[in-house]
Amino acid sequence: MSEHPASARTETVRLTVSQAVVRFLAQQYTERDGQRQRLFAGCFGIFGHGNVAGLGQALLQAEIDEPGALPYVLGRNEQAVVHTAVAYARAKDRLQTWAVSTSVGPGSTNMLTGAALATINRLPVLLLPADTFATRSAGPLLQELERPESGDVTVNDAFRPLSRYFDRIWRPEQLPGALLGAMRVLTDPAETGAVTLCFPQDVQAEAFDWPVELFAERTWHVGRPLPEPAALARAAEAIRSARRPLVVAGGGVIYSRATEQLDAFVSATGIPVGQTQAGKGALPYDHPQSVGAIGSTGTTAANALAREADLVIGIGTRYQDFTTASHTAFNDPGVRFVNVNIGSMDAVKHAGVGVQADARETLTALTDALAGWSVDDAYRARTAELAAAWEATVEAAYHPEVPSAGEGGRLTQNEVIGIVNEVSAPRDVVVCAAGSMPGDLHKMWRVRDRKGYHVEYGYSCMGYEIPGGIGIRMASSDRDVFVMVGDGGYLMMPTELVTAVQEGVKIVVVLVQNHGFASIGALSESLGSQRFGTRYRYRSDSGRLDGDVLPVDLAANAASLGVDVLVAQDGPSFEAALRKAKASDRTTVVHVETDPLVDAPSSESWWDVPVSEVATLRSTREARAVYDRWKAAQRPAYLAPSETGTTPS
Ligand SMILES: Cc1ncc(C[n+]2csc(CCOP(=O)(O)OP(=O)(O)O)c2C)c(N)n1
Ligand SMILES: [Mg+2]
C-alpha cells in the first residue's frame, strides 16, 4: 500500500464559469432511433449588466473562436424568446432546444411566463438568468429585491415552482453536477420542461481550472421504455372486453413519432380516434378512424362517441379540462380508462389501467396483442357517419352560401380559417395560442401532416403566436408557417417581428382584427356578463368602455417593424394576399377584419367556468341556471375499477 493516495488531478483548462457553460453546451447531443443531433441550436438572449460581461463575453469569444458552437440570437423580449425556444423544441419533437440568457432582475423575471408555458407543455428549454452577487459585495444592487427577513432569496427563486430542475451556481465547483442534472431533465421525456440555472453575476466572470473531460462530446440517449408485459396484458384485455372503445390521442403520440403505429393500430382494430390540441395531427383529418378534435372545442363526432364510450384509451395525454369537457365528455356510468404514458402521473389518471411506457412501442405491442380483434361493423359505420356529418358542417362554415357572411360584408373567422387551410400546403404549419382561434382551429382545421398543427393550449398564452412561429420556422425551414393571431394577442407581443427581420426568418402572420376579445366576449355573454370589458372601445360619456371603436391601425404598426404588410377586405383579396405571402421569402403580415359575433359551429360540449351564485343582473341569474344543469352532469371523478377481470360485464 502506498503511503499517499494517488493524485486525483487530471488535465485542466482555465476558463470563466460562463466560458465553461458555453463550451459545455456546445458539446451536448441527443440520440433517438439512431438519429443524433445537437441538443442546443444556440442561445437567445438580451444583455444587461447581469450577463453582458459574463455570459456575453463568453458568447462573443465563442462566436469568434469557434463560429457555430453556440450561435447567439438577440431578441426583443425575454418572455418572447423563451416562446421561440419552446416552439422550436416542439417542432423538433423535444430532441433539440435553445438556451436563453438574461440579465438580472426584470430580464430574468420576464422569463417566468415562458418557464411556466414550457413546463406545462412538457417542452425543454434551458433558462440562464443572471443573479445577484454571490459575494454580496456592494449590495443592494440595482434591480435587487431586498427582503427584510431573508438574505439568500432573490427574484430568481420565483422560477422554482415553474421549473423541472432549478439550481443556483454559487461556486464554480458546483457547475459540473448542475450541468449534468440539467441535461438529464431536458432530455428525459417524462421529466422535461423548463430547466433553470441561475448564475450570480460575479460567479459568471470567475475563472476556474476545469477538468478537460467536462467538455468532451456527450450524447444523451432518449429511450423508448417498453411496456411491462403484465401491464400490456391488462390493457389488451380491457380493450378486448370493450364494445365502444375510443382513443384519445395527445401530444405524446407526436413527440414519440408514433403516428404510423397509431394508424396501424386503429386501422386494424377500427377504434375511432379523438385528438387533443397537442395531439392534433396524430392522424390526418380524413383518416377513416379520425373523428377530429375532442372535448370542449371538439367535433360533434368525437363528442358523441365520447359520451357513449365504455373504454377511453388515452395515449400521451394528460386529460386537461378541455379534453374531458370538464369531466362531462365521458358519460357511460362504467367508463374505464387505459392510459399509455411515459410519465407515471398521467398513466394513473382516472383510475385507469396504466401502461407507463413509450407510445410507439406500446402501440406496436398492442397491435400484436389484439391481432384478429376488431370493433363491430356497426360501430365502424357509426364512426364514419358521425365524421362525415362533421365534415359537412366544416364545409358549410368554410364556404357559407353568401361569402363574407359577417356584418357589413366582413369575413367570418370560419371563412378566414378555411381560406388559410386551402392556401397552405399539406406540410405547412398553422400556429395559434389564445383567443377564439385555438378552439375554432381545433374543431375545423383540416390537418394533413403530423407536424402541421401547432396550437399552444397548455398555457394558452397570448403573445406566443409570433415568437412561436419564428421558432417553428427556424426548426423547419422547408415548411411555411402560418401564424394566426388576434388583435389582442398581437398587441401583447408584436416585438419579435423585428427579430424575424433581423434573422431573415420568414413567417406569414394572419392578423385577425375584431377590435377586442371575441373569445372572452362570447364566454362573458354565455356566462351572463354581457361582454363586459372585452371590446377595444373609447371610454364614453357614460363612464363605460362602450364608445367608438379605437382608431388603432395594426397594419401600420406591423409595417413600422420592418415586415411586409398586405391588407385584405374580402375573401378574394385575402386569398390573393395569402398566396403572395406564401410565395415571398420575407415575413408578411396579412391584416383582415372579421366579425367577432359569428361563432364556429358548436361542439355540443361544455367548459366549467363558474358563474356568480347571486346577482342583481338577470343575465347572470339565467346563466347560473344553465351552469347548475351542467354542473349536475359533471363527474367529480372517474373511478371505475381498473382491474380487468374484476369488473362485472
Ligand atoms: C397572457 C394572457 N392574458 C390573458 C389571457 C386570457 N385571454 C384568453 S383569450 C383572450 C382574448 C384574446 O383576444 P384576441 O387575441 O383578439 O383574440 P379573439 O378573442 O378576438 O379571437 C384573453 C384576454 C390569456 N390567454 N393570455
Ligand atoms: Mg380580437
Side-chain angles (χ1 to χ4, degrees):
M1 235 171 74
S2 64
E3 237 174 276
H4 302 290
S7 167
R9 292 220 168 275
T10 56
E11 200 186 328
T12 59
V13 51
R14 192 161 176 80
L15 300 170
T16 68
V17 168
S18 297
Q19 291 158 2
V21 168
V22 169
R23 192 174 284 193
F24 176 90
L25 296 182
Q27 296 301 328
Q28 307 307 305
Y29 291 78
T30 55
E31 178 276 329
R32 188 172 68 175
D33 305 328
Q35 195 189 322
R36 189 170 173 271
Q37 51 273 309
R38 290 182 58 173
L39 174 55
F40 296 100
C43 180
F44 286 109
I46 293 180
F47 293 130
H49 71 266
N51 59 341
V52 66
L55 207 67
Q57 189 280 339
L59 288 162
L60 164 68
Q61 196 167 302
E63 188 166 295
I64 292 167
D65 294 350
E66 308 162 71
L70 196 69
Y72 179 69
V73 175
L74 165 61
R76 267 70 209 165
N77 175 305
E78 291 86 353
Q79 177 188 325
V81 291
V82 180
H83 295 334
T84 303
V86 160
Y88 184 98
R90 175 164 165 180
K92 292 286 190 183
D93 290 329
R94 310 195 286 206
L95 296 169
Q96 287 185 278
T97 185
W98 288 70
V100 183
S101 165
T102 67
S103 189
V104 68
S108 79
T109 52
N110 260 2
M111 287 201 294
L112 290 169
T113 298
L117 185 150
T119 295
I120 287 172
N121 285 286
R122 288 101 192 262
L123 290 167
V125 64
L126 178 62
L127 308 179
L128 305 172
D131 219 321
T132 48
F133 285 48
T135 58
R136 305 207 184 143
S137 62
L141 309 179
L142 172 70
Q143 301 174 328
E144 177 173 348
L145 175 78
E146 279 184 285
R147 288 162 53 99
E149 80 288 4
S150 164
D152 72 345
V153 171
T154 78
V155 294
N156 284 351
D157 286 277
F159 283 99
R160 286 181 190 271
L162 309 179
S163 305
R164 296 307 306 267
Y165 188 87
F166 176 95
D167 207 347
R168 181 180 282 120
I169 316 303
W170 294 113
R171 295 184 54 85
E173 292 89 334
Q174 297 167 336
L175 184 67
L179 286 173
L180 292 176
M183 299 307 112
R184 170 181 64 77
V185 173
L186 285 171
T187 59
D188 179 338
E191 291 275 308
T192 199
V195 166
T196 305
L197 297 181
C198 309
F199 287 91
Q201 61 182 98
D202 49 351
V203 176
Q204 284 182 42
E206 202 174 323
F208 190 75
D209 295 312
W210 308 97
V212 292
E213 294 84 1
L214 181 61
F215 309 112
E217 223 175 78
R218 229 167 277 278
T219 303
W220 298 84
H221 298 283
V222 180
R224 293 189 174 280
L226 298 176
E228 190 204 344
L232 187 79
R234 284 193 289 271
E237 185 45 40
I239 297 169
R240 267 179 202 285
S241 62
R243 307 201 44 163
R244 298 174 308 280
L246 173 68
V247 165
V248 175
V253 173
I254 293 174
Y255 298 138
S256 166
R257 296 189 182 159
T259 50
E260 279 173 33
Q261 288 72 15
L262 177 67
D263 179 350
F265 173 65
V266 299
S267 296
T269 57
I271 304 175
V273 180
Q275 301 170 27
T276 71
Q277 284 277 15
K280 189 156 163 135
L283 290 180
Y285 80 101
D286 53 356
H287 187 285
Q289 265 63 53
S290 177
V291 284
I294 191 162
S296 306
T297 53
T299 69
T300 49
N303 286 339
L305 294 178
R307 274 192 287 278
E308 301 157 13
D310 57 354
L311 183 75
V312 177
I313 307 162
I315 308 175
T317 177
R318 63 196 184 93
Y319 294 111
Q320 189 226 40
D321 65 347
F322 268 77
T323 303
T324 67
S326 302
H327 287 200
T328 59
F330 309 117
N331 278 352
D332 183 303
V335 62
R336 289 181 299 154
F337 292 79
V338 165
N339 304 320
V340 177
N341 209 291
I342 195 87
S344 61
M345 181 168 78
D346 297 319
V348 303
K349 281 179 177 167
H350 303 323
V353 175
V355 184
Q356 193 186 345
D358 174 64
R360 199 173 92 174
E361 295 295 337
T362 307
L363 280 163
T364 303
L366 277 176
T367 307
D368 289 349
L370 290 164
W373 180 88
S374 165
V375 300
D376 64 26
D377 289 346
Y379 193 54
R380 280 184 191 255
R382 179 155 165 73
T383 299
E385 205 178 289
L386 286 166
W390 178 256
E391 268 319 302
T393 303
V394 173
E395 189 61 28
Y398 275 15
H399 301 288
E401 267 173 37
V402 183
S404 288
E407 201 197 325
R410 280 175 289 174
L411 285 170
T412 65
Q413 191 161 284
N414 302 334
E415 293 175 271
V416 164
I417 290 172
I419 295 169
V420 176
N421 188 273
E422 284 162 11
V423 169
S424 63
R427 288 187 74 258
D428 290 347
V429 187
V430 69
V431 188
C432 197
S436 55
M437 280 188 285
D440 296 0
L441 290 164
H442 192 215
K443 285 178 199 176
M444 292 192 293
W445 184 261
R446 291 173 170 165
V447 67
R448 297 151 287 178
D449 181 90
R450 72 176 198 94
K451 299 304 286 186
Y453 185 85
H454 187 127
V455 174
E456 186 283 297
Y457 218 60
Y459 213 35
S460 185
C461 183
M462 289 167 81
Y464 176 88
E465 303 89 347
I466 290 170
I470 293 170
I472 298 161
R473 175 70 176 188
M474 284 172 132
S476 37
S477 56
D478 58 335
R479 297 173 190 258
D480 263 312
V481 175
F482 290 86
V483 172
M484 311 289 282
V485 63
D487 52 321
Y490 177 86
L491 282 167
M492 281 233 183
M493 206 162 275
T495 50
E496 301 315 301
L497 286 175
V498 179
T499 309
V501 173
Q502 163 192 296
E503 297 298 317
V505 173
K506 180 234 166 155
I507 56 173
V508 180
V509 178
V510 178
L511 172 42
V512 177
Q513 171 62 286
N514 56 21
H515 303 280
F517 307 161
S519 51
I520 306 299
L523 183 64
S524 167
E525 186 165 310
S526 74
L527 303 179
S529 292
Q530 307 177 9
R531 296 188 181 248
F532 173 65
T534 62
R535 297 187 185 98
Y536 289 161
R537 298 288 150 90
Y538 281 105
R539 190 168 296 284
S540 73
D541 292 342
S542 72
R544 305 189 63 192
L545 288 180
D546 59 2
D548 283 345
V549 169
L550 293 173
V552 291
D553 184 347
L554 298 183
N557 176 278
S560 78
L561 300 178
V563 300
D564 292 346
V565 177
L566 299 168
V567 177
Q569 280 81 29
D570 52 16
S573 63
F574 181 57
E575 184 179 332
L578 283 179
R579 289 196 191 285
K580 193 168 173 196
K582 183 162 165 57
S584 170
D585 57 5
R586 290 165 47 83
T587 286
T588 306
V589 170
V590 179
H591 181 283
V592 60
E593 292 252 358
T594 60
D595 181 346
L597 299 181
V598 180
D599 291 333
S602 169
S603 284
E604 293 172 14
S605 185
W606 185 60
W607 184 36
D608 189 347
V609 180
V611 180
S612 298
E613 215 169 345
V614 292
T616 57
L617 298 176
R618 190 184 159 150
S619 59
T620 310
R621 290 198 301 273
E622 284 170 0
R624 178 69 198 200
V626 175
Y627 179 76
D628 286 339
R629 284 200 291 281
W630 275 105
K631 211 54 191 164
Q634 186 175 44
R635 297 273 286 265
Y638 292 108
L639 292 168
S642 61
E643 284 295 317
T644 49
T646 62
T647 312
S649 51

